[in-house]
């Protein structure tokens, strides 16, 4: 038997259920359609008799079929992963993430437990730090190498991971959370000032913070990928690895299972330290890091990722080519970052522009071209992605509207064979995160959760008929109806193996009718309709699923 599920993200009211084989897609709308199953093989999951929804008539009828013979791509089980911004160490939120994960007395504790454990939303955790020095648990050392007393944390949580008893935490009153919000708000202003002035202060990580970070990941069932500081350079511009070696030895002594990376956006090093690093030198730095890992038994077979470049413009592509010539075989996956819009100038209409959605496809082709030249078959990760740069924009990048970009990003990356996408970020300053500072899930969290629950790693080819557009001279035809299909996740026990999940984005100004044909004909449809909740429309930070508001 087969199931077809679908997910709809819509900006307008839409029927909560559809008759088998017919979908009415609003304008603009986003759909994730439910799995289809033969009633004889799916227990009581039968199609309920429903009348034809009012207003379904549309000018365009699209026939949709899916090739179920074999997948066109198979992506990682950890395809949708997560990044933690280093600001959580700077502003103190790391303590509360740890507390919320395992605690029972702190406000939001159950939420974080649901986020990390019950829903299994986050299979991988990626944390990138701009500055890293490790000394001891009583003191810290800045990137200039000068020791200073440890800063007093609002919360002194001695979190220990006990393999037999699970995670332990100290008990703290909720007033601590309010104090932390005040501290984070002040730090947010400092970080914004640094971003806009392009001058950054040093960020130092203590052994205590590293313990908290690892225990947060380990208690959550996540795998930690840690980016080491590549800005410490020797006079000859080679990487100074002395501090990294100290961290590696400390982590190995604690038996921490960590994968590694070196640096963050190396194309911007001249701005940060007044000294550029070319691709060839960066490749030598990675070879040096691989040698360090092999010297330490715990990490002799650890995964290494990089070079985590920025948007692949001409100079960045040149850096990547130089890196791949020297160290292409050293890394387990090649990584880069993408942010669609400058958060300082973003508008809500930007999130619905096909030209904007297509920028990612162009970047994928550029990265793949380089890898096909030097290391054919090497896995590619989009290791930092968000709707907007510069910290995002309130009521835009953290709103319902951002879901159009996010779902298209997931569909496009999977269809192009990108193995992992790491979302920036879980919780940090700015407005690109999945969870706000009240531990309330934002719309992209719920969208990610639906994706994790429904979408499996096998990507299927689709066949569409009925969209006939004649090209005009000098104009590029951009697809305003985007359809993606996967085998349904076999972790979802509500659906039998052989089920299919569709998700569709309609950026047309008119309603579209989609008729399921071929192998999809006469199957039962379970529709997951995600809409904004409240009066704010596309700006809403709350959502409803099939008419029911979603809240922890």
């Amino acid at each position: 038997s087969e199931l077809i599920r679908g997910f709809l993200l819509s900006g307008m009211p839409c029927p909560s259920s559809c008759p088998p084989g017919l979908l009415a897609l609003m304008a603009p709308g986003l759909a994730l359609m439910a799995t289809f199953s033969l009633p004889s093989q799916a227990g009581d999951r039968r199609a309920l008799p429903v009348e034809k929804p009012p207003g379904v008539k549309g000018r365009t009828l699209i026939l949709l079929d899916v090739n179920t013979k074999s997948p066109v791509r198979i992506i990682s089980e950890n395809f949708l992963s997560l990044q933690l911004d280093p600001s959580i160490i700077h502003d103190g939120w790391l303590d509360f993430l740890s507390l919320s994960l395992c605690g029972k007395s702190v406000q939001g504790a159950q939420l974080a437990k649901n986020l990390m454990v019950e829903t299994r939303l986050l299979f991988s955790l990626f944390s990138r730090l701009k500055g890293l020095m490790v000394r001891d648990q009583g003191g810290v050392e800045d990137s200039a190498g000068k020791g200073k007393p440890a800063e007093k944390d609002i919360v002194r949580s001695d979190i220990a991971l006990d393999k037999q008893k699970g995670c332990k935490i100290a008990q703290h009153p909720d007033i601590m959370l309010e104090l932390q919000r005040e501290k984070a708000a002040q730090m947010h202003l400092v970080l914004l000032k640094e971003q806009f002035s392009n001058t950054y202060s040093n960020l130092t990580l203590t052994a205590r913070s590293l313990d908290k970070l690892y225990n947060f990941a380990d208690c959550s069932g996540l795998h930690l990928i840690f980016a080491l500081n590549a800005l410490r350079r020797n006079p000859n511009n080679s990487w100074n690895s002395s501090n990294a070696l100290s961290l590696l030895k400390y982590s190995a002594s604690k038996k921490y299972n960590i994968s590694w990376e070196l640096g963050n956006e190396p194309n911007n090093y001249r701005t940060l330290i007044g000294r550029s690093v070319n691709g060839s030198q960066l490749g030598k730095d990675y070879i040096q890091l691989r040698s360090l890992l092999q010297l330490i038994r715990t990490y002799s077979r650890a995964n290494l990722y990089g070079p985590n470049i920025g948007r692949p413009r001409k100079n960045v592509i040149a850096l990547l080519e130089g890196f791949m010539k020297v160290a292409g075989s050293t890394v387990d996956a090649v990584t880069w970052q993408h942010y669609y819009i400058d958060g300082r100038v973003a508008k809500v209409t930007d999130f619905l522009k096909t030209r904007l959605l297509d920028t990612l496809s162009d970047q994928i082709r550029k990265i793949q071209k380089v890898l096909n030249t030097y290391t054919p078959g090497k896995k590619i990760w989009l290791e930092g992605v968000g709707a907007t740069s510069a910290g995002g924009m309130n009521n835009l990048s953290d709103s319902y509207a951002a879901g159009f970009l996010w779902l298209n990003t997931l569909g496009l990356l999977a269809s192009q064979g990108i193995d992992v996408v790491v979302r920036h970020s879980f919780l940090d300053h700015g407005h690109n995160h999945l969870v706000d500072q009240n531990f309330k899930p934002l719309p992209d969290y719920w969208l990610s959760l639906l994706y994790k629950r429904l979408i499996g790693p096998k990507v299927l080819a689709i066949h569409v008929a009925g969209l006939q557009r004649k090209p005009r001279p000098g104009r590029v035809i951009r697809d305003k109806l985007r359809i993606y299909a996967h085998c349904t996740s076999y972790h979802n026990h509500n659906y039998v193996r052989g089920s299919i999940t569709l998700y569709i984005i309609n950026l047309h100004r008119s309603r579209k009718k989609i008729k399921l044909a071929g192998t999809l004909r006469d199957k039962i449809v379970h529709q997951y309709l995600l809409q904004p909740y409240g009066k704010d429309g596309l700006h809403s930070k709350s959502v409803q699923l099939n008419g029911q508001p979603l809240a922890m």
Side-chain angles (χ1 to χ4, degrees):
S1 67
E2 294 177 348
L3 281 172
I4 300 176
R5 11 169 146 156
F7 170 74
L8 280 154
L9 185 56
S10 173
M12 299 174 59
C14 184
S16 59
S17 60
C18 295
L22 180 63
L23 290 176
L25 200 56
M26 309 304 288
L30 219 173
L32 202 143
M33 296 176 42
T35 45
F36 309 153
S37 177
L38 298 178
S40 61
Q41 299 291 327
D44 296 330
R45 194 166 274 105
R46 298 170 180 263
L48 299 177
V50 293
E51 297 180 0
K52 187 175 182 178
V56 163
K57 291 184 178 181
R59 294 183 179 180
T60 306
L61 176 64
I62 295 100
L63 299 179
L64 173 62
D65 191 14
V66 173
N67 185 348
T68 59
K69 292 183 179 180
S70 62
V72 293
R73 309 279 187 187
I74 300 179
I75 54 178
S76 170
E77 285 285 345
N78 297 334
F79 174 72
L80 199 171
S81 295
L82 164 75
Q83 177 177 324
L84 280 178
D85 193 274
S87 63
I88 64 168
I89 297 173
H90 215 329
D91 61 22
W93 277 116
L94 177 61
D95 294 301
F96 285 88
L97 283 180
S98 302
L99 286 168
S100 297
L101 172 69
C102 307
K104 297 182 179 179
S105 65
V106 178
Q107 179 181 348
Q110 189 60 40
L111 163 63
K113 181 179 179 181
N114 289 341
L115 293 178
M116 310 307 169
V117 183
E118 182 179 334
T119 66
R120 302 297 298 170
L121 167 61
L122 311 172
F123 283 171
S124 294
L125 174 64
F126 172 57
S127 176
R128 293 184 291 123
L129 301 178
K130 293 177 182 176
L132 170 63
M133 296 294 294
V134 174
R135 197 174 182 185
D136 56 41
Q137 302 226 6
V140 295
E141 188 173 292
D142 63 16
S143 61
K146 299 176 181 179
K148 57 183 178 181
E151 181 179 334
K152 291 186 177 180
D153 298 329
I154 288 179
V155 175
R156 283 295 183 188
S157 56
D158 295 323
I159 300 175
L161 184 64
D162 187 317
K163 295 298 183 182
Q164 294 182 344
K165 299 181 180 179
C167 297
K168 297 179 179 179
I169 70 161
Q171 302 296 312
H172 296 279
D174 289 347
I175 187 62
M176 294 300 181
L177 188 58
E178 298 300 324
L179 294 174
Q180 169 58 26
R181 290 195 185 104
E182 294 178 6
K183 176 184 176 182
Q186 296 173 359
M187 184 57 65
H188 174 58
L189 297 177
V190 173
L191 294 173
L192 284 179
K193 184 178 179 180
E194 289 183 356
Q195 278 189 341
F196 284 96
S197 65
N198 214 23
T199 57
Y200 300 94
S201 59
N202 293 323
L203 176 63
T204 306
L205 183 74
T206 65
R208 183 191 297 273
S209 295
L210 180 61
D211 293 340
K212 294 174 183 178
L213 180 64
Y214 184 81
N215 288 342
F216 165 72
D218 204 30
C219 287
S220 308
L222 311 177
H223 180 70
L224 179 64
I225 303 172
F226 195 98
L228 297 165
N229 182 8
L231 298 179
R232 293 176 55 83
R233 317 298 296 182
N234 294 316
N236 65 354
N237 208 27
S238 63
W239 177 49
N240 185 330
S241 61
S242 58
N243 184 240
L245 182 59
S246 299
L247 183 141
L248 291 172
K249 290 181 177 179
Y250 175 80
S251 300
S253 71
K254 307 284 282 189
K255 301 189 184 309
Y256 289 163
N257 179 20
I258 300 177
S259 295
W260 302 94
E261 191 171 31
L262 179 60
N264 175 57
E265 294 192 77
N267 44 290
N268 289 334
Y269 285 175
R270 178 175 290 279
T271 302
L272 294 173
I273 60 174
R275 182 190 298 180
S276 62
V277 178
N278 60 34
S280 177
Q281 180 58 58
L282 187 63
K284 294 176 183 177
D285 298 340
Y286 264 78
I287 292 175
Q288 182 181 355
L289 174 55
R290 175 61 79 183
S291 297
L292 289 181
L293 294 174
Q294 291 175 344
L295 290 175
I296 301 173
R297 184 175 181 180
T298 303
Y299 300 122
S300 60
R301 297 184 179 180
N303 287 335
L304 178 62
Y305 306 104
N308 201 23
I309 57 175
R311 180 175 296 183
R313 297 184 176 93
K314 186 176 180 180
N315 64 315
V316 181
I317 287 296
L319 187 150
L320 178 61
E321 289 176 336
F323 175 84
M324 297 304 295
K325 288 178 183 178
V326 175
S329 60
T330 302
V331 293
D332 295 282
V334 172
T335 60
W336 99 101
Q337 301 183 35
H338 176 69
Y339 296 90
Y340 286 94
I341 315 171
D342 186 338
R344 292 166 282 197
V345 297
K347 303 184 296 294
V348 68
T349 53
D350 291 337
F351 294 94
L352 307 178
K353 292 180 178 178
T354 54
R355 184 182 300 274
L356 180 67
L357 271 61
D358 289 342
T359 59
L360 178 58
S361 182
D362 294 337
Q363 292 191 22
I364 293 173
R365 284 193 290 269
K366 291 178 181 178
I367 299 292
Q368 288 176 333
K369 183 179 179 180
V370 174
L371 265 65
N372 289 337
T373 301
Y374 297 101
T375 54
K378 178 73 68 175
K379 293 180 180 179
I380 304 175
W381 288 17
L382 181 55
E383 207 175 51
V385 62
T388 59
S389 61
M393 181 173 282
N394 190 27
N395 294 324
L396 284 180
S397 53
D398 53 359
S399 71
Y400 176 87
F404 290 91
L405 277 180
W406 181 221
L407 189 60
N408 183 73
T409 298
L410 294 171
L412 183 60
L413 292 172
S415 65
Q416 294 294 321
I418 304 303
D419 198 50
V420 170
V421 53
V422 182
R423 170 61 188 255
H424 182 281
S425 73
F426 176 63
L427 176 81
D428 66 348
H429 77 287
H431 307 283
N432 275 329
H433 41 237
L434 298 178
V435 177
D436 68 17
Q437 293 190 353
N438 293 310
F439 298 145
K440 176 185 176 183
L442 294 166
D444 274 5
Y445 167 82
W446 296 111
L447 180 54
S448 302
L449 176 55
L450 273 174
Y451 191 95
K452 274 289 192 185
R453 289 275 180 91
L454 297 176
I455 304 297
K458 294 182 179 180
V459 185
L460 304 176
I462 61 167
H463 303 286
V464 178
L467 284 177
Q468 297 179 359
R469 302 175 62 193
K470 296 181 180 180
R472 298 180 184 178
R475 292 194 62 184
V476 177
I477 293 181
R478 298 186 182 275
D479 190 0
K480 291 190 175 183
L481 188 69
R482 299 170 184 235
I483 305 173
Y484 304 101
H486 290 242
C487 290
T488 299
S489 172
Y490 54 79
H491 294 295
N492 191 323
H493 301 299
N494 292 324
Y495 297 101
V496 297
R497 286 182 180 253
S499 302
I500 299 171
T501 299
L502 306 172
Y503 47 112
I504 307 171
I505 304 171
N506 180 24
L507 296 173
H508 287 279
R509 295 183 179 180
S510 58
R511 179 186 289 111
K512 302 299 175 186
K513 289 195 301 182
I514 298 177
K515 185 174 182 180
L516 304 171
T519 57
L520 307 185
R521 185 183 294 118
D522 299 327
K523 299 293 191 292
I524 296 173
V525 181
H526 294 167
Q527 177 177 285
Y528 296 82
L529 176 62
L530 193 66
Q531 296 173 283
Y533 180 69
K535 299 179 181 180
D536 294 328
L538 292 175
H539 291 276
S540 178
K541 295 184 180 180
S542 300
V543 293
Q544 53 184 329
L545 178 63
N546 294 341
Q548 298 296 319
L550 295 178
M552 284 294 182

